[in-house]
Amino acid sequence: MTQLLPPVVVANLHRRYTGVSATVRALVPLQRRQLAIGLIDWGQLGLEVGMASADLLLQGWRPPPGAARRVWHARRDLEILVGLLLREGLRQPWAVLFTSAAPKPPGPVLCWLIRRCDAVIATSGRSAGFLPQGCVSATIPHGVDTAFYCPVPAAPGGEGGAADPDPPALIGCFGRIRASKGVDLVVEALITLLPDRPGYGAVFTGLARPAEREFLAGLQRRIAAAGLERRIRFLGDLDRLTVRDWYRRVCLCVAASRREGFGLTPLEAMACGCAVLTSEAGAWPELVDGEVGRRFQTGNLASLTDALALLLDQPGELRAMGRRARRRALARHSLEAEAGAINGLYRQLLEGAALARAPISRRC
């Protein structure tokens, strides 16, 4: 029996595993609890695709039963282009939906593509502000898997959550080891602060690619010169489960990026019950406030050092921030909420709704 082409198709047309790939892998299984969703996957995400690529040509000429059209969900330039080829080139009944997380204006080509989409999702108010006027149909922030990213489960008869050391011992920095992530700023702040705060240490997790290994070696030399090599450690590229375990062990997650798309690591840390200190990059100004942590001026070492010192000198407040961060992640930033909001937009498009769309003639 021929398998029917699903009403919604999500595209992952990239062979390397990226943040976009991780988003698709996390969301699609949850979305499929409510809707039939096909997947065109070049990146071997390990998900059931639910269709064959040839089905686009064999079955894409008619809308699915009970709907006005199908939905093609793109998150990259190439994916928009393929959706437009189906809709405009082949005249198939598709609505092209694009999700944008970039906190910067789109280039001319991407702007041209965005203006021809039927609907656009922005992942933050900041990213929405850079898109062509009138094109954003919905702002749907990224969520995290709050069942996976969670504090240490309660022991039988216990209250749950990780034990509260006094003072809390570890600061964590998670993500790629490179200058754009502000790792050098964090190292310099730690070199300044840790000698007078013997109760603290720090760990860095993440990949240093060959081009960045000299950058890492330079940081390690700075740490050794300060006599802090036993208190500031680089753990390397770790699997998802091990990273989660480190989130649970640290009292403070520092995210110091000079530039960022959305930036999920602070949310993952918050879901694990950890306070956060971030720059103003990405969506972080919309996620982090004095209830769950602090922010500092992007790229400014003095601002980072001052904010970090303030937090480290209040261990009791750090723990309270971590508890509030977990509650906020559950209330506002669950992956289930993101999946449900996107599915709601799919349904509107399947029904033929005319959502926000920028005028073709308007420049970015």
Side-chain angles (χ1 to χ4, degrees), residues 5-14 31 36-42 49 51-57 60 64 69-88 90 92-99 113 116-121 342 345-347 349-350:
L5 179 64
V8 176
V9 174
V10 172
N12 181 45
L13 305 185
H14 200 292
Q31 293 179 274
I37 297 176
L39 176 65
I40 301 290
D41 180 21
W42 290 1
V49 294
M51 57 175 288
S53 297
D55 291 336
L56 296 173
L57 297 178
R69 52 191 175 176
R70 286 185 166 83
V71 175
W72 176 270
H73 192 170
R75 291 178 169 89
R76 301 179 176 95
D77 306 29
L78 174 60
E79 295 163 3
I80 300 177
L81 181 59
V82 173
L84 294 178
L85 287 173
L86 292 172
R87 191 189 74 194
E88 303 295 335
L90 298 182
Q92 291 186 347
W94 290 91
V96 179
L97 169 64
F98 175 59
T99 292
L113 292 170
R116 284 152 180 83
C117 291
D118 296 276
V120 176
I121 295 172
I342 295 172
L345 197 57
Y346 288 168
R347 292 189 183 96
L349 291 169
L350 289 169

Side-chain angles (χ1 to χ4, degrees), residues 5-362:
L5 179 64
V8 176
V9 174
V10 172
N12 181 45
L13 305 185
H14 200 292
R15 298 194 183 281
R16 187 165 60 85
Y17 190 79
T18 65
V20 171
S21 310
T23 295
V24 172
R25 188 181 72 173
L27 281 173
V28 167
L30 293 177
Q31 293 179 274
R32 282 174 168 167
R33 296 175 184 176
Q34 301 175 349
L35 283 172
I37 297 176
L39 176 65
I40 301 290
D41 180 21
W42 290 1
Q44 299 181 337
L45 298 180
L47 300 177
E48 181 182 348
V49 294
M51 57 175 288
S53 297
D55 291 336
L56 296 173
L57 297 178
L58 295 175
Q59 301 184 48
W61 303 98
R62 294 182 180 179
R69 52 191 175 176
R70 286 185 166 83
V71 175
W72 176 270
H73 192 170
R75 291 178 169 89
R76 301 179 176 95
D77 306 29
L78 174 60
E79 295 163 3
I80 300 177
L81 181 59
V82 173
L84 294 178
L85 287 173
L86 292 172
R87 191 189 74 194
E88 303 295 335
L90 298 182
R91 299 294 181 182
Q92 291 186 347
W94 290 91
V96 179
L97 169 64
F98 175 59
T99 292
S100 174
K104 60 182 180 181
V109 173
L110 180 55
C111 185
W112 185 90
L113 292 170
I114 289 173
R115 291 193 175 282
R116 284 152 180 83
C117 291
D118 296 276
V120 176
I121 295 172
T123 60
S124 68
R126 173 176 284 187
S127 64
F130 287 114
L131 292 171
Q133 184 176 348
C135 79
V136 177
S137 310
T139 299
I140 303 176
H142 283 318
V144 293
D145 185 347
T146 54
F148 177 81
Y149 291 106
C150 63
V152 176
E159 296 182 359
D164 285 336
D166 190 17
L170 287 174
I171 304 150
C173 191
F174 302 85
R176 288 276 300 278
I177 305 299
R178 56 183 179 184
S180 65
K181 295 295 184 181
V183 178
D184 54 321
L185 297 175
V186 181
V187 167
E188 291 299 328
L190 291 170
I191 288 173
T192 298
L193 297 176
L194 290 194
D196 295 328
R197 294 165 177 82
Y200 289 99
V203 294
F204 292 77
T205 76
L207 175 68
R209 294 189 179 276
E212 293 137 3
R213 286 175 187 164
E214 180 53 37
F215 173 72
L216 172 59
L219 297 178
Q220 291 172 320
R221 288 192 293 270
R222 288 280 298 130
I223 292 167
L228 294 170
E229 61 268 33
R230 291 190 177 183
R231 295 175 61 193
I232 305 175
R233 295 179 290 153
F234 288 87
L235 305 179
D237 191 23
L238 306 178
D239 62 74
R240 180 170 177 255
L241 184 63
T242 306
V243 169
R244 191 270 309 270
D245 291 342
W246 280 105
Y247 279 137
R248 290 171 165 179
R249 293 181 63 181
V250 304
C251 64
L252 177 65
C253 169
V254 181
S257 294
R258 292 178 166 92
R259 57 184 181 274
E260 191 64 66
F262 183 89
L264 277 175
T265 54
L267 272 186
E268 292 169 351
M270 288 167 60
C272 290
C274 182
V276 289
L277 171 61
T278 74
S279 70
E280 301 277 354
W284 296 337
E286 299 173 37
L287 306 177
V288 178
D289 58 24
E291 289 291 304
V292 299
R294 294 285 186 273
R295 300 195 309 271
F296 66 91
Q297 184 180 346
T298 303
N300 188 313
L301 176 59
S303 177
L304 166 59
T305 304
D306 290 346
L308 182 57
L310 180 66
L311 290 170
L312 297 185
D313 292 341
Q314 301 180 74
E317 179 60 13
L318 262 186
R319 292 192 288 271
M321 286 178 172
R323 290 189 289 268
R324 293 193 293 265
R326 170 63 180 174
R327 291 195 292 269
R328 179 175 295 183
L330 288 170
R332 302 185 190 177
H333 303 298
S334 72
L335 201 61
E336 290 81 2
E338 182 184 4
I342 295 172
N343 278 0
L345 197 57
Y346 288 168
R347 292 189 183 96
Q348 293 181 59
L349 291 169
L350 289 169
E351 293 168 0
L355 302 178
R357 186 172 175 182
I360 296 295
S361 61
R362 188 179 180 91

